[in-house]
Structure formats: C-alpha cells, structure tokens
Amino acid sequence: MNANDIGEISAWLTTQGLKGTDEMDIVNGFCQRARAVGMRLDRGLALIDTLHPVYEGRAFQWDSKEPVRGAFEYGPTNEGVSAENWERSAFFHLRENNESEIRRRIGFGDPIDFFGLDTLVAAGHQDFIAMIHRFAQDSHIGDMDCFYSQWTTMDAGGFRDDDIAALRQLVPVLALAIKSGSLTRISRTIAEVYLGEDAAKQVLEGRISRGKAERISAVLWFSDLQNYTRISDNLAPDEIIPFLNDYADAVISSIHEAGGNVLKLIGDGTLAIFKAEEREDACARALVAEKSLREKLKGLNQRRMLEGRPVTEVYLGLHIGDVFYGNIGSSDRLDFTVIGPAVNEVSRIASMCRFIDRSVIMSSQFVAAAPPPRGSEVVSIGRYALRGVKRAQELFTLLPLDVVD
C-alpha cells in the first residue's frame, strides 16, 4: 500500500462520513479497499459506545472469509460475564494503561493473554493489533469517549511494517467517519426517547422555532394509574420507580404498537395522540391500543402478584378534537406538545373513571367517529359536567359483549 492508496482511501472515508453513510457500510468499504490494494487484512472489528436506554454501544465486524454482516448492539459491560470478558480484553488494557496501541504476533509465540485471542489462533490468524482513538473531553456524549478497533491477518508472515503504518494513518479517519454517523444516531435516539417518534422527526427536520405549530385533528389519549397515590405512599422508595416503569411500559408499548405517539409522561399519567387522514382510522388504532393494554395488564398483574408486589389498573380517557401541535415555551426551553381545549377535556374525561368506576371513558365525539369496537359494546353512562369545561358532555364506556348480553 503506497501513499496514493492511503490518500484515496482517506478521501473515500471522508466522503462517506460527510454523506452520513451507514457505519457498517463504511467499515465494510474500508476493509475491502484496504485489502484490494494489498493490505494483509483478514478481520476487522470496530466498537463505539453510544447513548441509548438499552444498549451501551455498537460493534461492526468484517471478515474476508464470511458474508458481510450487519452492525450489532452490545449491552452493559459492567456486570456478569460481560464484565469479565471486557476486563480481559485488549481494549480494557489500553484504557487502563493509557496506551493507544498493542500488538500480539499470536502465530509467532507472543502471549495469548487477551480475551478472544485463543479463538483467533484456532481460526488460523497470525497477527493481531488493537487500537484506541480517544475523543476530547468536551466532545464526549454519554460513554462515547473513544473509538476501539482491532485488526488481524492470517498471512503466514503476519502484518508487514507498511500494513501497520497504513492502519495508523487510516484508522483515525475511519474513527471520524464512524463518530459522525454515531452522533447522528444518538441525536435521533435522544429525540425519539424524550419527544416521541413523530415529534422527534419534526424537530430533527428543523421545526424548532418557538411558536411554530400546526393545527391538526387527532385522537387524544390520557391515562393514569388507579390508586397511584395510595400505592406510592405505602411503597418503599426503591420500589416506586420499578412500579411506574412496569405500568408505563405496558401503556407506551400498546400505544406505539398501534401507531400512536406518546407526547408526555406526567407522573403516572400519559398523554398521547393518534394522527390519521381519516378520523375513523385514528379512533380504530386507539381502540386497538386500549385492547392490547388490557391484555398486557393481565399478564403484568399476574407476574407482580406472584412476586408479592402491588398491582393496579389503568384509567383511560379517549377524545377527539382539533389541537395545536408544535413548540411551546421560552427561547431556550421548548416543549413539543399539543395544546387546546380538547387536551384539557381528555384529562377531565380520564379523571371521571375513578368517580364512576370505569376503566375507560370516551367522549361522544370519539364514539361518533369510531368504528364499532371488536368484542365490546359502547354504552352511554350519562351526561356529566367536567371541571373546567363549560358544557356538560355525554360520556361512554366499553363493556364486553357477554356482560351486555
């Protein structure tokens, strides 16, 4: 590999990073190009930590003798077997000793002292080099503070000096291209986790100006937990968050699976919307989410009762109306949400559940737009004056058909 080859590969990596090419495609392209111009490269592995509620990071592996693989996420490396493997790795050694590179000529008698080297030897690899490229302190996001990579060859002579020299020049450029894609991925993840998928998409597309909102017609979902105050008063402090997480997972997953968007978590409450070109479709998806939620609550409550933990049910209000959907707040603290009288009304509808002992209550507007629910009958429960709402409203609930009969 000569200086011209290195320059061309560097230029290609730069272009891919600027284009936002998928990280796995960048790793594949880099390895294939390096091998094509003579580098004795048979396997490459790159890792970069991320900021994600489940995964610690992403890994990208290329092998000259295997089909191209996709990237894979890895979980926490600070517990159990994962922690043991991590602490035996070459990467851990580099971090702990503040080194940037380590080599083992595993086919020529060097010690097999890092995790995975025995597997590489058994597969016929002769030479191994691991590298770490650190990011500046003020550019860290979460645990994403460096780029790890390791490279091996099965060539009988191992890596040549010019192979090592080329890796030292090219891997920092590869690291920069991967970091670029990872930062974009992190931005999207943070936005979706805290704003919801639809709101995140709009913010990332540039809708970030204060007061920028659109008028939409949407189905509104507001739910909270039955007897939450009493239950939380009697729970040990370290049990409150797991309790909320269990029920929030059931609510949020049901909404997302039916195509809804969660906008706010307010203590034990959840505000969500279902958007659709046709009102009937949005109502139908909200009813699907409600049915799915009840099924999930059965399984969740059975599990928690077996564990000796408190259980509850979810009160739900469903409404439909025109709302403003967009950015509200100050110049330096915005919330992407919905506002309008219908938002206040749906929370008041949900609050009626505890007074008339129903798990779901729907407005007359929702019932008028909704298709007939499967397996249930819509039953009027009378007219009620909702707090903060001028006119009394007729409200409805769902009853199983066998109860109606």
Side-chain angles (χ1 to χ4, degrees):
M1 181 179 290
N2 56 40
N4 185 61
D5 295 328
I6 292 173
E8 289 184 357
I9 294 176
S10 293
W12 180 85
L13 286 170
T14 301
T15 300
Q16 301 314 303
L18 291 171
K19 288 171 59 177
T21 300
D22 179 79
E23 301 100 309
M24 189 69 246
D25 291 340
I26 293 176
V27 171
N28 285 331
F30 166 72
C31 293
Q32 290 164 359
R33 282 166 172 77
R35 186 176 169 87
V37 294
M39 182 182 287
R40 300 177 176 186
L41 181 63
D42 284 292
R43 182 177 293 180
L45 174 67
L47 285 77
I48 190 166
D49 285 347
T50 188
L51 186 60
H52 192 280
V54 177
Y55 305 114
E56 183 175 302
R58 305 183 80 230
F60 317 94
Q61 182 167 304
W62 174 87
D63 193 300
S64 64
K65 300 186 181 307
E66 295 182 7
V68 172
R69 300 180 180 182
F72 59 92
E73 287 83 13
Y74 52 88
T77 57
N78 60 355
E79 55 188 29
V81 175
S82 294
E84 295 175 10
N85 293 341
W86 165 245
E87 291 172 6
R88 293 169 51 212
S89 72
F91 297 141
F92 183 80
H93 173 90
L94 292 174
R95 285 189 69 102
E96 290 298 292
N97 293 281
N98 198 32
E99 298 174 10
S100 60
E101 178 184 308
I102 193 164
R103 184 180 182 184
R104 290 288 185 266
R105 289 171 59 81
I106 52 180
F108 304 91
D110 277 5
I112 312 299
D113 52 351
F114 296 127
F115 175 74
L117 290 188
D118 54 345
T119 303
L120 290 171
V121 171
H125 292 268
Q126 302 293 313
D127 208 348
F128 166 93
I129 184 168
M131 298 176 168
I132 183 171
H133 291 85
R134 295 172 175 84
F135 306 147
Q137 180 67 39
D138 58 2
S139 73
H140 293 187
I141 295 183
D143 291 328
M144 195 184 79
D145 58 357
C146 62
F147 176 76
Y148 305 99
S149 65
Q150 64 182 45
W151 314 95
T152 64
T153 181
M154 302 175 78
D155 191 274
F159 284 124
R160 296 169 300 197
D161 289 345
D162 64 335
D163 292 331
I164 300 296
L167 285 171
R168 288 171 180 160
Q169 292 185 63
L170 289 170
V171 174
V173 188
L174 171 66
L176 192 58
I178 297 297
K179 181 183 179 183
S180 176
S182 295
L183 287 173
T184 300
R185 192 178 301 277
I186 285 175
S187 299
R188 187 178 300 113
T189 296
I190 293 174
E192 290 178 354
V193 166
Y194 285 96
L195 298 177
E197 184 177 352
D198 186 71
K201 179 176 180 292
Q202 300 203 42
V203 167
L204 292 173
E205 288 176 351
R207 292 191 57 193
I208 197 172
S209 301
R210 181 171 62 151
K212 192 168 186 178
E214 63 174 320
R215 187 183 182 97
I216 64 170
S217 179
V219 167
L220 302 166
W221 165 302
F222 190 89
S223 60
D224 58 12
L225 302 182
Q226 180 181 356
N227 297 323
Y228 171 68
T229 301
R230 177 182 60 79
I231 293 171
S232 61
D233 284 345
N234 291 285
L235 273 178
D238 59 354
E239 282 289 322
I240 294 176
I241 298 301
F243 172 81
L244 283 172
N245 283 344
D246 277 350
Y247 287 95
D249 183 67
V251 172
I252 294 170
S253 61
S254 298
I255 293 169
H256 285 170
E257 289 164 7
N261 290 281
V262 174
L263 298 181
K264 275 184 176 297
L265 302 178
I266 312 164
D268 64 316
T270 302
L271 173 65
I273 61 171
F274 292 82
K275 297 196 304 179
E277 292 184 5
E278 299 295 333
R279 282 190 161 198
E280 182 174 332
D281 180 44
C283 292
R285 288 191 280 114
L287 290 172
V288 168
E290 189 277 337
K291 186 174 182 180
S292 174
L293 172 61
R294 300 304 163 191
E295 291 299 316
K296 290 181 180 181
L297 289 176
K298 288 179 184 177
L300 173 59
N301 285 340
Q302 287 174 359
R303 174 177 66 79
R304 289 185 62 89
M305 284 189 287
L306 288 173
E307 295 171 350
R309 295 180 171 182
V311 300
T312 189
E313 292 292 335
V314 173
Y315 288 141
L316 171 61
L318 291 173
H319 188 31
I320 192 169
D322 291 339
V323 293
F324 286 100
Y325 182 46
N327 290 298
I328 298 99
S330 69
S331 58
D332 57 1
R333 178 61 175 91
L334 296 172
D335 192 10
F336 203 101
T337 188
V338 287
I339 60 170
V343 180
N344 178 55
E345 289 169 10
V346 73
S347 67
R348 303 306 184 204
I349 291 169
S351 69
M352 291 298 296
C353 290
R354 57 181 44 86
F355 296 113
I356 55 180
D357 194 27
R358 299 295 181 189
S359 62
V360 56
I361 296 178
M362 303 166 290
S363 68
S364 57
Q365 295 95 320
F366 178 89
V367 170
R374 294 181 180 179
S376 301
E377 181 72 24
V378 176
V379 178
S380 174
I381 53 176
R383 294 180 64 82
Y384 291 87
L386 304 176
R387 184 164 60 90
V389 179
K390 291 182 179 180
R391 294 180 299 172
Q393 293 194 23
E394 186 176 13
L395 302 177
F396 296 80
T397 192
L398 292 173
L399 290 180
L401 289 175
D402 55 355
V403 173
V404 176
D405 293 340

